[in-house]
Amino acid sequence: KLPKLAFSDYADEQAENLRQMFIAMTDDYRIIIVKLADRLHNMRTLSHMKPHKQIKISRETLDIFAPLAHRMGIWQFKSELEDTAFMYLYPQEYRRLDRRLKQYQDKFQITLEKSQEILTKTLTSDRVLKDQ
């Protein structure tokens, strides 16, 4: 555990927490994974907070934690962090995009299944792969 310091305001404390996290992660990458998991849990429970806190935490998540998950290759965390933060930061755009995606979901699924079928058929009929 790193020592606590006296801070004049919340922003300074948050900046110091992030600084300490980055220092700690140079020694052990597991610390950053725990921090990302904690942030993901916080984002999942954000609906129980006041709107100004939702926006502040979402902005911080989009600016700091999602890119960090991306750099570490934890795509599932990155994706959920971005999606959830986007939902709170840009609610109208999120709803519009969500409607559009749902509108085309069946078409996307059919295209994916056809592509998988073609790929499977191509790979099973490949002579080079059969000989191995």
Side-chain angles (χ1 to χ4, degrees):
K1 184 86 177 169
L2 298 169
K4 293 280 182 189
L5 302 172
F7 296 101
S8 60
D9 68 358
Y10 183 74
D12 288 343
E13 184 177 0
Q14 283 298 99
E16 180 63 16
N17 286 341
L18 291 172
R19 187 188 69 77
Q20 289 180 354
M21 181 181 69
F22 288 118
I23 290 169
M25 86 179 216
T26 60
D27 294 333
D28 191 351
Y29 69 90
R30 293 175 296 182
I31 293 168
I32 195 68
I33 293 172
V34 170
K35 289 286 192 187
L36 288 169
D38 182 52
R39 178 51 62 120
L40 186 57
H41 175 265
N42 291 344
M43 292 301 291
R44 288 175 177 170
T45 59
L46 212 54
S47 62
H48 304 289
M49 293 187 179
K50 294 179 180 178
H52 73 276
K53 292 281 278 182
Q54 292 173 341
I55 291 171
K56 181 193 164 304
I57 292 170
S58 293
R59 172 56 47 209
E60 186 178 270
T61 298
L62 208 53
D63 291 344
I64 296 166
F65 290 92
L68 190 55
H70 174 78
R71 286 186 196 99
M72 292 190 70
I74 309 174
W75 311 119
Q76 188 66 36
F77 278 27
K78 172 200 176 281
S79 180
E80 190 172 341
L81 288 169
E82 286 178 337
D83 289 350
T84 309
F86 187 80
M87 180 176 65
Y88 286 102
L89 291 171
Y90 308 103
Q92 291 176 338
E93 292 86 348
Y94 178 85
R95 285 191 297 275
R96 188 177 40 140
L97 185 59
D98 190 50
R99 278 194 306 271
R100 294 287 304 265
L101 287 172
K102 285 178 182 173
Q103 180 182 357
Y104 291 104
Q105 187 172 7
D106 291 340
K107 184 177 179 179
F108 293 154
Q109 187 63 37
I110 291 168
T111 302
L112 178 62
E113 289 170 3
K114 284 181 182 177
S115 299
Q116 287 174 327
E117 185 180 308
I118 291 168
L119 182 60
T120 301
K121 190 175 181 180
T122 302
L123 289 174
T124 56
S125 67
D126 188 287
R127 290 179 185 255
V128 175
L129 293 175
K130 279 186 178 180
D131 294 338
Q132 294 181 355

